[in-house]
Amino acid sequence: MADHPITPRATDYAQWYQDVIAQAELAEAAEVVKGCMVVRPHGWAIWEKMQADLDRRFKETGHQNAAFPLLIPQSFISKEAQHVEGFSPELAVVTHAGGKELEEPYVIRPTSETIIGHFFAKWIQSHRDLPLLINQWANVMRWELRTRMFLRTGEFWWQEGHTAHATHGECQEEVVRMLDVYRDFCREVMAMPVIRGIKTANERFAGALETRTIEGLMQDGKALQCGTSHDLGQNFGKAFDVMFQNTAGEREYVWQTSWGVSTRLIGALIMTHSDDEGLVCPPRLAPIHVAIVPIYKTDEERASVIECARRVATELRADGLTVKVDEREGMKPGAKYYEWERKGVPLRLEIGPRDVAANTCMAKRRIAGVDEKGKPMKETLGLDDIGVGVGRILDEFQALLLQRAKERQAKSIISVDNWGDFEVAFAGNDSRFVLAHWDGTTATELAIKEATKATIRCLPYDGDVPGFPNLVEPGRCVKTGAPSTQRVLFAKNY
RNA sequence: CGGGGUGUGGCUCAGCUUGGUAGAGCGCUGCGUUCGGGACGCAGAGGUCGUAGGUUCAAAUCCUAUCACCCCGACCA
């Protein structure tokens, strides 16, 4: 075994995360732009796959895409009291343009509730204009003191849904619906189980009545907020005068929502599935599904093997798969194997002279056991119906990843009833999903964070936590002993 | 903004204490031999030593200033 370019997870999880990103060529630090990142082609390809699937789901639920300005008049941010308080510290502001100082500075959008509120006010007159269901794919900027690739950077890419409704009831339905879209996407496409829940007042979006979240469990036991959905009530409607005339002829403020997921999901993908060999990518998000490595010694062998590999690639592409035939010379097959494994290609096919003669190939899954000699398990596939064999393997691989993630999640969730056990669960650098009673006060929430670094990730939907079907039950706060009505989810988080 | 650290070929770093005019490994280019789990040989290309001053016959090395980045803390809809 040659040098291992990736730090093992057990040695240093944070370094492992950075190494996977570098070795899989997903992204790198922008270096000349503080706190920002360059998303490299292989990383962006994963985001494009995420976008394509999410966009289809948004359209299916009746939403339309639009685009709003990157720059927002500074005064807009100030119009909603909580919004300005939440975002002011992390705004980047444009004060000059065209060689002159601007009369009013612009902020680079940290999120678009305000500018969209302004235009919604123009677009909405009547109850017949509602609901208005808009989505925007965009980049946003939040000046962060401490950044982590994909998880928290100055600039990031996301989608933000913005909707306006005639009643609070419709607005609440939308918030629930879109959180479920995210949950389904995470499970079906990312092979990642998440827990739906409601944020505490302390963790709520600045300007929202209620924030819902999906929380993912990373391999090191920490939680990652993977998506959010906000009931904005009439807060932005009032701030931007977004009104409609109802059927009785009265003017009312609209009820609004916003919801988003971002390139942070790529971080979630890495920390959910990947291993010490590099990126592991579920087939439904893999930029390359199959890498074919030709094996040969002589020129004649090379010609026949490559001809065969290209033929297989063409056949698989007809099934809608992305296939790479690695024809690079001067590189031994083993080196190619490691490279494609680092990059998270789910399946590799090896085709050599013996395979050409037998009309077969060797298939190696990205996650495979080892045989009695310690060599990776491979299987032989016939070339006559290669599409069938490859399709089956990719389906099995997608299912395997979800199953593994679910098992890991199940093992990491515990229920705790006393402070001693709670502290043990978060001792040192440890984290997990801990279900415990909480007295409902922000003071206690902050005291627990101060003592253990663990925060309340959400008040989970009852029944959404595997193995713990009844979270709504009377109990005593794990910290203060005060009465509590339900268990909440604690974890350290990214 | 506190505390600590680092800036030297594309990357990782040595050299600095004790000044003498820049090195290694990897990567890259070319040729040849290799090729079923990370190849090897030979020949090459590539560096204003973060920046600006200062000391000196002479500075990557000593002094001053400054900038950038990293780690820990504070902060993080």
Side-chain angles (χ1 to χ4, degrees), chain A residues 163-176 230-233 255-257:
Chain A
T163 69
H165 308 264
T167 67
H168 195 203
E170 277 183 40
C171 170
Q172 289 168 314
E173 283 173 23
E174 171 77 0
V175 163
V176 170
H230 314 292
D231 174 359
L232 303 176
W255 298 84
Q256 288 176 265
T257 79

Side-chain angles (χ1 to χ4, degrees), chain A residues 6-9 12-24 26-27 37 147-153 218-220 224 263-272 274-276 494:
Chain A
I6 297 173
T7 304
R9 286 165 292 183
D12 184 341
Y13 195 80
Q15 188 60 48
W16 165 82
Y17 178 75
Q18 302 281 2
D19 289 348
V20 169
I21 289 169
Q23 291 295 322
L26 300 177
M37 70 189 296
T147 59
R148 283 190 148 107
M149 211 83 80
F150 288 116
L151 302 178
R152 176 169 287 110
T153 49
M218 304 297 105
Q219 293 168 355
D220 62 348
L224 181 67
T263 40
R264 172 182 267 194
L265 287 177
I266 296 173
L269 180 76
I270 295 164
M271 290 196 291
T272 297
S274 300
D275 60 21
D276 291 348
Y494 279 100

Side-chain angles (χ1 to χ4, degrees), chain A residues 372-446:
Chain A
E372 58 280 1
K373 291 182 211 155
K375 299 220 168 179
M377 302 276 277
K378 299 180 185 178
E379 53 205 295
T380 304
L381 296 182
L383 293 185
D384 285 336
D385 55 353
I386 187 67
V388 176
V390 167
R392 173 180 55 81
I393 289 174
L394 292 179
D395 288 346
E396 287 173 3
F397 192 72
Q398 180 86 28
L400 170 70
L401 293 186
L402 178 60
Q403 183 201 325
R404 289 200 330 166
K406 278 181 170 175
E407 285 168 4
R408 192 170 50 246
Q409 187 196 49
K411 279 195 292 192
S412 299
I413 304 174
I414 61 173
S415 183
V416 161
D417 287 310
N418 67 75
W419 183 245
D421 290 347
F422 192 94
E423 284 186 305
V424 168
F426 295 112
N429 212 23
D430 285 6
S431 181
R432 45 186 48 75
F433 276 9
V434 171
L435 297 164
H437 280 285
W438 164 60
D439 64 19
T441 67
T442 299
T444 299
E445 184 179 3
L446 295 175

Side-chain angles (χ1 to χ4, degrees), chain A residues 4-7 9 16-27 40-47 50 150 190 219 265-283 285-288 337-347 364-368 397 401 404:
Chain A
H4 214 289
I6 297 173
T7 304
R9 286 165 292 183
W16 165 82
Y17 178 75
Q18 302 281 2
D19 289 348
V20 169
I21 289 169
Q23 291 295 322
E25 297 179 0
L26 300 177
R40 302 185 65 180
H42 199 243
W44 192 259
I46 293 173
W47 179 235
M50 290 178 170
F150 288 116
M190 293 183 67
Q219 293 168 355
L265 287 177
I266 296 173
L269 180 76
I270 295 164
M271 290 196 291
T272 297
H273 298 304
S274 300
D275 60 21
D276 291 348
E277 310 306 316
L279 181 68
V280 173
C281 202
L285 287 177
I288 298 171
Y337 299 168
Y338 283 107
E339 178 172 327
W340 296 117
E341 286 178 6
R342 280 200 296 275
K343 288 187 172 173
V345 176
L347 180 65
K364 160 68 172 56
R365 305 179 190 214
R366 174 60 181 76
I367 294 175
F397 192 72
L401 293 186
R404 289 200 330 166

Side-chain angles (χ1 to χ4, degrees), chain A residues 294-298 301-302 305-306 327-329 336 352-353:
Chain A
I295 292 154
Y296 50 82
K297 287 187 173 68
T298 65
E301 283 176 354
R302 179 174 194 279
V305 160
I306 289 206
E327 301 186 17
R328 287 175 294 179
E329 295 198 62
K336 295 180 179 178

Side-chain angles (χ1 to χ4, degrees), chain A residues 181-323:
Chain A
V181 165
Y182 292 154
R183 191 269 314 262
D184 294 346
F185 169 80
C186 287
R187 190 180 53 208
E188 295 165 12
V189 178
M190 293 183 67
M192 179 174 73
V194 293
I195 291 172
R196 296 169 298 179
I198 296 173
K199 285 291 190 186
T200 61
N202 182 51
E203 298 268 343
R204 193 180 288 155
F205 176 74
L209 297 183
E210 180 187 84
T211 290
R212 286 169 193 257
T213 178
I214 48 172
E215 296 287 327
L217 173 78
M218 304 297 105
Q219 293 168 355
D220 62 348
K222 289 187 183 166
L224 181 67
Q225 178 178 300
C226 292
T228 51
S229 174
H230 314 292
D231 174 359
L232 303 176
Q234 295 176 307
N235 291 346
F236 287 89
K238 287 175 180 169
F240 286 89
D241 212 30
V242 190
M243 302 191 80
F244 71 102
Q245 206 165 12
N246 64 24
T247 50
E250 302 154 342
R251 277 166 55 80
E252 288 185 55
Y253 290 112
V254 298
W255 298 84
Q256 288 176 265
T257 79
S258 67
W259 29 274
V261 294
S262 71
T263 40
R264 172 182 267 194
L265 287 177
I266 296 173
L269 180 76
I270 295 164
M271 290 196 291
T272 297
H273 298 304
S274 300
D275 60 21
D276 291 348
E277 310 306 316
L279 181 68
V280 173
C281 202
R284 295 192 64 181
L285 287 177
I288 298 171
H289 297 108
V290 180
I292 302 178
V293 177
I295 292 154
Y296 50 82
K297 287 187 173 68
T298 65
D299 284 350
E300 299 91 86
E301 283 176 354
R302 179 174 194 279
S304 67
V305 160
I306 289 206
E307 192 276 329
C308 180
R310 288 179 182 170
R311 202 175 65 237
V312 170
T314 301
E315 194 168 333
L316 294 176
R317 285 177 188 133
D319 292 339
L321 299 178
T322 305
V323 184

